[in-house]
Amino acid sequence: MIFARYAVALALCTATSSAFISPKNAGFGVQTAASSQRVASPLMAATLSKPETETSSEEPNVMRPPIDYVWEDVSAQLIDVFGYSQAEVDMYAGEVDNSKETLAKIYKALQMARGFENACNQQYMQGKIRGFMHLDNGQESIPALVDYAIKTGDKKYSYYREHTHAIASGVDPGAVMAELFMKETGTCKGAGGSMHIFDKPTYFQGGWALVSEQLPYAAGAAKSILLDRKLGVSDDENYNKQDVAPPADDDRISIVFVGEGGAQNGRTAELLNSAAKDNLPLLLIVIDNGRAINTYTGDVATNGAVYQQGKHYGVPGLLVDGQDAADVAKGGKAVIDYVRSGKGPAILQVHTYRFNGHSPADPEHERGRKDEKAWARVSQDPIKIFEDKYTANGVFTEDELKEMKKEVLNEVKAAVKFADESPMPPMELAKELEYPDAPDTDYNLKPAPKFADAVNARNISPEKMETVLAHIAALREKAVAGDISIGDAINLAIHEEMLRDPTTTIHAEDLQAGSSYDIPKLTQQTYGQIRAADEIIDEGHFIGKALGEGMNGYRPIVELMNTNFGIFGMAELSSAGNTYATTGGQFDMPMTIVGAGGTAPNQALGAEHSQPFHAYVMGIPGLKICTAASPDAAYGITKSMIRDNGPCFLFAPVKMMKESKGKLELDVCAPLNKAALLHEASADSVASGKAVTVLTYLHGVKEAQLVTNEIMEEGFDIDLIELRSLKPLDMDTIRKSLERTHKIAILDESTLSGGVGATVSARISEELFDLLDAPVKRLCMDDAPVPYASTMEVAVVKRGSDLVKAVFELVTGQI
């Protein structure tokens, strides 16, 4: 009869996409002895030509039949692909099959996952859980594996369907339920919700809502494990690094969960490439339920064998049947131990079924979804399969299983009661969670790690230290002489901070060569590839890796070369800004992003290199955003950003990176919330009403300075204010100037719609309206893309001549 089931499944497979509805081994490229015999079976061969509608009495015409793997199929892969011996494979089987205690542990984990999710569904229907919620019913073998084989110190990155993963990782069920109830006792104080479960003590690091965004974060977390080992440091209870080396048997790994639909995202290839290159201790668990949201994955993608995607990179993969929780535990533990042993990353694909729609609100109109769900609940329930198997073979009695289930459901009831009785968070908490460090922080007062000299001595050879100190000395001489550029000033700040704090890392493209403006110059040569990483050409990937490092006690710097390339990393930038708040203040997010950008008049870079990316990121909560049009500003701001515990973004003017020279106030951090008054209008011009406040930044600073004398020769004057902090905005400096001039012009390097000037103008109109004698004058880029040819570009990009005209119009009233 078993051959008949496979034959029907294979017949169904031929009617649609073999990559996604494969029966045992078909379409996955794994040919074991057992499967070879079945494919060669005369009965199976004879059934291949049956029409799609013909089915056996046992198997309905489902889109995605079960693969029905047995342990021999799994063990053959472990031997062929992972290099295990038969004795080792038998050991993994025996640790589960011969231990009633282990099987009981697995069963309780299955019941906890099912019971918790059922309770969530009930509470959602009662309105106590709100927003989006995604349940895990039918996929309980994955949290059971986590409960069995994953350790507390392992770093876990899940996606939006993560309740069960968190609980299996050791997170208190009451705290998870309270988070869903939006209560202050929740894992994230009610700031995260269903899709954002975080728990610092258990290293459960999300809960991420954007599909596949968690993949590079997990790579960064895995990299932090290697950094710990290389530098000889480890976490204290707050993830602050201490001069204590990890134990000799440190076998921590990073685990990341993704659905097979999400695994079609390009981030998967980038993850495998990066993990293989750095031999990261990382496990990718692919939860293969055949549905991308509710859409049948085979309708939108070709390759369902995600576990084989690592072949290009030398990353092995294992396919297991998620309906047999014991086999998932056996095979999964073997793969996990492979990663723990230092052999590099691996993939575990678990073929399973999800009994619920994508969320409770889903209409589930997609092809075949409702029929599949109903069928799977009856015939593919991993809990029922476990119960039938282990009562039939006498391991458990029905009463024993009932008692364990009762014990677990009592825990679930207690979790609901705890959540229901917990208080709501105070309203004030929202603002408290905006930034880890207050905007007015004095970064000069932040102490350096006491272990810096010891760690540097262990990891930087005397020859390399001599070279970098000579480089720093040469840059400091330039700084004193007034001959240092913006790029060199940032490079100087980075080296000083990387030596001051060895937990500082840096990521960039073309890093070995110093990128385009020498910002990461000599970093890899000094600190090694582990701290100074050359990256693939995808900013989203290495911003994401930096995020994972930042969550795990490191201070990553990301150099973007040109800030417009950060468009590739919008998802990661958004999450970096949200993380501190979303986690309820648990996880700081120290990350410094720096690059050249903006739009200088006549720069001839075309539209894609001239986009106002600084305006694009202004709306991301939690980011501190600064600009620097001089070496001194760039140096001081960079040092402060590296010391800040939140995500910071420094924009420098692309056409001034090497041409702008000046002196530095050495060893001084600049504030991240202050504008700079570069030129003050004379008292006479103020008294006569001929002074105007001018706000600008990036190339606008140079443009304004070039025409200041011309403005003064016309009998007018300006308070020239450089907006060094775009967010938070320094309204106090603007107010003090307006109290003198009562007129304001903004020379803005962003577009008419949605630009920086629009935001600043709105704030002025709302908060300082009584100080205005005339409407705010915005000189901004046109909404048209920036052309390459200078004859057309002049119509889009504003410059100093436009400022002269604006000052004249404001003073004379000829607006």
Side-chain angles (χ1 to χ4, degrees):
M1 183 60 70
I2 190 170
F3 290 131
R5 294 185 67 197
Y6 293 131
V8 171
L10 188 56
L12 289 168
C13 177
T14 61
T16 48
S17 171
S18 63
F20 283 91
I21 61 170
S22 308
K24 183 175 304 216
N25 300 316
F28 287 99
V30 173
Q31 197 73 9
T32 67
S35 65
S36 174
Q37 292 170 3
R38 292 180 183 124
V39 170
S41 158
L43 177 59
M44 194 168 227
T47 316
L48 286 175
S49 59
K50 287 186 178 181
E52 182 180 357
T53 55
E54 186 172 344
T55 62
S56 73
S57 59
E58 288 194 22
E59 204 68 80
N61 184 10
V62 295
M63 295 174 65
R64 187 170 175 269
I67 59 172
D68 291 324
Y69 261 38
V70 294
W71 176 243
E72 286 75 15
D73 299 308
V74 179
S75 61
Q77 293 179 79
L78 291 173
I79 293 169
D80 296 343
V81 180
F82 286 83
Y84 280 109
S85 67
Q86 185 63 58
E88 290 170 325
V89 170
D90 291 343
M91 178 196 70
Y92 282 107
E95 288 176 351
V96 174
D97 292 337
N98 300 332
S99 171
K100 185 173 181 177
E101 181 182 358
T102 298
L103 289 168
K105 180 180 178 68
I106 291 170
Y107 182 68
K108 287 181 179 180
L110 294 171
Q111 287 290 1
M112 172 57 77
R114 178 69 57 82
F116 190 89
E117 296 294 69
N118 285 344
C120 287
N121 196 43
Q122 293 168 359
Q123 300 305 312
Y124 188 88
M125 296 307 172
Q126 293 177 30
K128 294 181 180 180
I129 299 175
R130 301 182 63 190
F132 293 115
M133 183 181 71
H134 309 86
L135 300 178
D136 206 30
N137 297 55
Q139 304 180 153
E140 290 83 3
S141 61
I142 292 99
L145 168 65
V146 172
D147 186 81
Y148 170 59
I150 301 301
K151 301 180 181 180
T152 299
D154 295 332
K155 301 168 193 291
K156 303 96 176 171
Y157 282 78
S158 190
Y159 60 149
Y160 45 78
R161 199 182 307 279
E162 89 284 29
H163 311 157
T164 64
H165 303 159
I167 294 169
S169 298
V171 184
D172 180 68
V176 177
M177 188 64 77
E179 185 62 33
L180 273 64
F181 274 48
M182 60 181 73
K183 298 298 184 71
E184 190 176 15
T185 56
T187 57
C188 304
K189 300 182 180 179
S194 173
M195 295 185 286
H196 304 288
I197 304 297
F198 291 81
D199 185 67
K200 205 167 189 178
T202 60
Y203 284 86
F204 193 81
Q205 300 180 348
W208 302 89
L210 303 178
V211 172
S212 302
E213 65 162 316
Q214 70 275 12
L215 297 181
Y217 308 161
K223 182 82 174 288
S224 75
I225 295 171
L226 298 185
L227 281 161
D228 286 352
R229 296 170 184 169
K230 178 67 171 64
L231 300 180
V233 298
S234 58
D235 293 341
D236 65 14
E237 61 182 10
N238 293 314
Y239 288 21
N240 295 317
K241 297 303 176 186
Q242 54 187 342
D243 193 19
V244 177
D249 61 350
D250 178 30
D251 63 357
R252 292 172 297 156
I253 66 173
S254 178
I255 304 98
V256 60
F257 303 85
V258 69
E260 95 291 340
Q264 305 301 323
N265 191 295
R267 286 179 175 87
T268 301
E270 293 171 345
L271 175 79
L272 295 173
N273 179 41
S274 172
K277 182 179 78 71
D278 290 333
N279 201 46
L280 296 180
L282 186 142
L283 173 64
L284 174 63
I285 298 181
V286 181
I287 303 170
D288 175 14
N289 55 45
R291 294 283 164 174
I293 307 180
N294 284 316
T295 298
Y296 176 56
T297 313
D299 288 348
V300 295
T302 300
N303 180 21
V306 181
Y307 74 103
Q308 291 188 338
Q309 287 188 19
K311 283 184 175 181
H312 295 318
Y313 311 101
V315 177
L318 179 74
L319 175 66
V320 294
D321 189 343
Q323 308 322 111
D324 191 323
D327 281 2
V328 173
K330 301 171 199 172
K333 178 68 158 53
V335 174
I336 289 165
D337 286 350
Y338 174 93
V339 180
R340 288 199 194 284
S341 68
K343 294 177 182 176
I347 306 170
L348 177 67
Q349 182 168 353
V350 184
H351 185 283
T352 186
Y353 294 89
R354 174 163 42 85
F355 295 169
N356 297 75
H358 181 64
S359 73
D362 255 316
E364 299 182 81
H365 292 156
E366 287 80 6
R367 184 165 73 90
R369 178 68 183 113
K370 290 182 179 179
D371 291 341
E372 177 190 77
K373 182 177 71 173
W375 162 78
R377 282 177 169 173
V378 172
S379 66
Q380 295 298 309
D381 186 341
I383 296 179
K384 187 176 186 303
I385 290 170
F386 185 98
E387 291 171 340
D388 290 348
K389 178 178 179 179
Y390 290 103
T391 54
N393 64 15
V395 174
F396 296 111
T397 65
E398 290 186 4
D399 287 342
E400 286 177 315
L401 294 178
K402 286 178 181 178
E403 187 60 32
M404 285 189 281
K405 180 178 180 180
K406 180 180 178 181
E407 177 187 335
V408 168
L409 291 183
N410 284 337
E411 289 185 55
V412 174
K413 289 178 182 177
V416 173
K417 184 174 186 293
F418 172 78
D420 210 18
E421 295 175 352
S422 293
M424 295 289 285
M427 180 177 63
E428 296 77 21
L429 181 61
K431 191 63 178 175
E432 292 173 15
L433 294 175
E434 184 176 12
Y435 299 117
D437 288 347
D440 60 353
T441 297
D442 185 348
Y443 299 94
N444 296 290
L445 303 180
K446 286 204 166 191
K450 295 179 180 179
F451 55 71
D453 290 342
V455 173
N456 286 336
R458 287 199 297 265
N459 290 279
I460 304 173
S461 70
E463 295 77 16
K464 290 180 178 179
M465 183 64 80
E466 182 180 356
T467 299
V468 74
L469 291 178
H471 175 66
I472 290 172
L475 292 178
R476 289 173 73 92
E477 285 180 13
K478 284 185 175 183
V480 172
D483 193 35
I484 194 167
S485 68
I486 292 175
D488 282 345
I490 297 173
N491 179 249
L492 174 59
I494 286 172
H495 276 293
E496 289 178 346
E497 294 302 311
M498 290 188 79
L499 289 175
R500 175 184 176 275
D501 185 348
T503 67
T504 307
T505 64
I506 187 167
H507 302 258
E509 296 161 0
D510 211 23
L511 179 140
Q512 292 178 57
S515 194
S516 292
Y517 304 104
D518 285 345
I519 287 174
K521 182 178 180 180
L522 211 60
T523 52
Q524 189 172 101
Q525 293 86 339
T526 303
Y527 312 108
Q529 190 176 9
I530 189 75
R531 283 183 65 194
D534 256 318
E535 296 288 357
I536 63 171
I537 306 176
D538 188 321
E539 287 70 16
H541 172 75
F542 58 88
I543 291 172
K545 283 205 298 189
L547 188 153
E549 289 179 11
M551 289 187 72
N552 286 281
Y554 286 91
R555 295 187 173 276
I557 302 164
V558 173
E559 196 268 338
L560 292 181
M561 192 178 300
N562 188 293
T563 54
N564 289 309
F565 303 158
I567 290 171
F568 280 102
M570 285 297 288
E572 291 76 12
L573 287 171
S574 175
S575 289
N578 289 331
T579 296
Y580 178 69
T582 299
T583 65
Q586 287 183 85
F587 286 90
D588 290 342
M589 184 44 63
M591 181 194 298
T592 301
I593 303 167
V594 61
T599 312
N602 206 29
Q603 70 180 21
L605 294 180
E608 288 193 272
H609 279 63
S610 301
Q611 297 179 88
F613 192 61
H614 45 282
Y616 296 1
V617 298
M618 280 281 283
I620 296 177
L623 289 185
K624 290 176 182 171
I625 303 171
C626 293
T627 70
S630 66
D632 188 52
Y635 173 81
I637 290 172
T638 299
K639 290 178 77 72
S640 294
M641 285 186 166
I642 294 171
R643 298 183 190 188
D644 191 272
N645 284 319
C648 302
F649 205 139
L650 175 60
F651 290 85
V654 65
K655 298 298 284 188
M656 297 168 61
M657 294 298 292
K658 296 181 179 180
E659 75 170 43
S660 181
K661 303 290 180 67
K663 293 185 177 182
L664 304 183
E665 190 175 0
L666 291 167
D667 304 315
V668 176
C669 295
L672 300 183
N673 66 332
K674 290 296 180 183
L677 180 62
L678 304 182
H679 174 84
E680 187 174 13
S682 68
D684 288 343
S685 66
V686 171
S688 61
K690 295 183 178 180
V692 174
T693 298
V694 173
L695 307 180
T696 192
Y697 57 96
L698 294 178
H699 302 95
V701 172
K702 176 184 175 182
E703 290 295 309
Q705 289 174 329
L706 288 173
V707 299
T708 299
N709 286 337
E710 182 180 344
I711 290 170
M712 294 172 67
E713 289 170 359
E714 293 292 330
F716 311 125
D717 208 345
I718 60 174
D719 273 2
L720 178 58
I721 297 174
E722 179 184 2
L723 297 177
R724 291 182 178 176
S725 175
L726 297 182
K727 195 171 74 169
L729 188 62
D730 182 5
M731 293 299 292
D732 288 340
T733 296
I734 297 172
R735 177 185 293 105
K736 288 177 182 177
S737 177
L738 268 181
E739 286 173 345
R740 303 173 69 240
T741 68
H742 304 291
K743 293 174 285 292
I744 193 163
I746 305 173
L747 182 53
D748 182 18
E749 210 159 315
S750 60
T751 49
L752 176 68
S753 301
V756 170
T759 297
V760 175
S761 176
R763 290 282 304 273
I764 292 168
S765 297
E766 291 167 1
E767 300 174 33
L768 307 176
F769 181 78
D770 290 345
L771 297 177
L772 295 172
D773 286 345
V776 175
K777 187 80 169 179
R778 270 203 295 153
L779 310 171
C780 53
M781 294 163 54
D782 192 81
D783 281 342
V786 178
Y788 168 67
S790 56
T791 52
M792 291 188 288
E793 184 244 54
V794 71
V796 177
V797 180
K798 299 299 184 288
R799 57 207 69 218
S801 57
D802 297 294
L803 179 60
V804 174
K805 180 182 178 185
V807 170
F808 174 82
E809 291 174 346
L810 282 168
V811 173
T812 63
Q814 300 179 27
I815 299 177

